[in-house]
Amino acid sequence: MDACEALGAKFELWQAADLDSSRCPVRGLLDQIGDRWSTLLICALAVGPRRFSALHRLIPDISKRMLTQTLRTLEADGLVHRDVQPTVPPSVTYSLTPLGRSFAGPLLGLVEWAETHFAAVLQTRSETKRAA
Amino acid sequence: MDACEALGAKFELWQAADLDSSRCPVRGLLDQIGDRWSTLLICALAVGPRRFSALHRLIPDISKRMLTQTLRTLEADGLVHRDVQPTVPPSVTYSLTPLGRSFAGPLLGLVEWAETHFAAVLQTRSETKRAA
DNA sequence: TAACCCAGTCTCAGATAGAGACTTTGAGAC
DNA sequence: GTCTCAAAGTCTCTATCTGAGACTGGGTTA
């Protein structure tokens, strides 16, 4: 059984179990961490703990608003730890929890696939655009 | 070197290479297929080819508009093949391309992580909500 | 004295997603 | 003959989400 069949089998199980989006693990999780920024932030934090402004410098095209929001969601999901030092000005350090670090494995698989096949996707995209 | 370190190392490479979002493979790909519906559709198509309305029945809470849009994006990226039979009414069948099937591996990793850790995430979420 | 940094919050405009009506032609029910 | 449904979408309207950028307030630097 290859990965594709295994994936299909899992999908059929969800169907059979009549899982709605809130109870299906994949949907419940990927609806939240499957957005543009969450995965990128997890990559950035995989290097090591970072402060708010450091993250913003690493990923300049995220707005502060989305940076705050995404970090709060990741914190609520237990993937990221938020450590506030009560200094003035406050110093806030974000780091991956053990759960967050355990997510690095699957994420790395995705990243490696992306690196391997990005060229092919780009080519298909440009062909499609030309045909349109 | 564990997966977390490897992920961090990759992130630092992207930083060093000054990759903007359009040239970074991970961002270029995951910005598109990392949305709510793309991964779910790939799971659905992993079972086998499906027609438009069959997909809509399998995933009732996607609107026809987003279903069309998501399938077109996946087609443009070369992950999904769209086969139009010029009958009346037209019969359109969607299936995974070899590239799409190759994505099943990393996606399966993600799915398995989600199944394993969903309970932990749910618990953290509810604790966070209670504290708020 | 002025400017800048910390970690955000706030507001406003623009982009995006969802709900659901509508299309055209053929097949089956009555 | 007519009624209704299904195919695979498109269209419009509204609700939600996102991004840009101004603002906060006290301390440090020039």
Side-chain angles (χ1 to χ4, degrees):
Chain A
M1 177 146 103
D2 68 0
C4 193
E5 290 169 37
L7 197 59
K10 280 193 186 294
F11 182 81
E12 296 203 309
L13 278 180
W14 307 332
Q15 292 294 127
D18 191 30
L19 288 177
D20 59 18
S21 55
S22 63
R23 287 178 306 139
C24 172
V26 175
R27 302 188 59 176
L29 270 167
L30 298 192
D31 279 7
Q32 300 232 0
I33 62 178
D35 68 351
R36 201 195 325 291
W37 303 118
S38 297
T39 45
L40 199 57
L41 279 174
I42 289 172
C43 290
L45 288 172
V47 182
R50 298 265 178 236
R51 298 178 60 169
F52 183 88
S53 51
L55 287 170
H56 199 199
R57 272 189 299 271
L58 286 173
I59 309 170
D61 51 345
I62 188 176
S63 64
K64 290 180 164 198
R65 195 181 157 282
M66 283 314 292
L67 181 54
T68 304
Q69 203 171 103
T70 307
L71 285 169
R72 293 288 153 85
T73 301
L74 290 173
E75 189 196 2
D77 281 359
L79 295 171
V80 159
H81 174 67
R82 181 166 177 267
D83 185 40
V84 185
Q85 231 59 20
T87 57
V88 173
S91 162
V92 181
T93 304
Y94 294 92
S95 54
L96 289 184
T97 62
L99 185 62
R101 269 194 296 279
S102 79
F103 186 65
L107 187 51
L108 185 63
L110 220 68
V111 164
E112 283 171 344
W113 185 90
E115 288 178 332
T116 307
H117 297 98
F118 189 53
V121 170
L122 275 188
Q123 195 186 338
T124 311
R125 265 185 211 169
S126 68
E127 280 167 12
T128 305
K129 199 186 293 176
R130 211 145 31 82
Chain B
M1 177 146 103
D2 68 1
C4 192
E5 290 169 37
L7 196 60
K10 282 193 184 295
F11 182 81
E12 295 202 311
L13 278 179
W14 308 331
Q15 294 293 129
D18 192 30
L19 289 176
D20 59 19
S21 55
S22 63
R23 287 178 305 140
C24 172
V26 176
R27 301 187 61 175
L29 271 167
L30 298 192
D31 278 8
Q32 300 231 2
I33 61 179
D35 69 349
R36 201 194 325 291
W37 304 118
S38 298
T39 45
L40 201 57
L41 279 175
I42 290 172
C43 290
L45 289 172
V47 183
R50 297 267 177 233
R51 298 179 60 168
F52 184 88
S53 49
L55 287 170
H56 199 198
R57 273 190 296 272
L58 285 173
I59 309 170
D61 52 344
I62 188 175
S63 66
K64 290 180 163 196
R65 193 181 159 280
M66 285 312 294
L67 181 54
T68 304
Q69 204 173 101
T70 307
L71 285 168
R72 293 288 153 85
T73 301
L74 289 173
E75 188 195 2
D77 282 359
L79 294 170
V80 158
H81 175 68
R82 180 165 177 268
D83 185 42
V84 185
Q85 231 58 22
T87 58
V88 173
S91 161
V92 181
T93 303
Y94 294 92
S95 53
L96 289 185
T97 62
L99 185 62
R101 269 194 296 280
S102 79
F103 186 64
L107 188 51
L108 185 62
L110 219 68
V111 164
E112 283 171 344
W113 185 91
E115 287 179 332
T116 307
H117 298 284
F118 189 53
V121 170
L122 275 188
Q123 196 186 338
T124 311
R125 264 185 211 171
S126 66
E127 280 167 11
T128 305
K129 198 186 292 174
R130 211 143 33 81

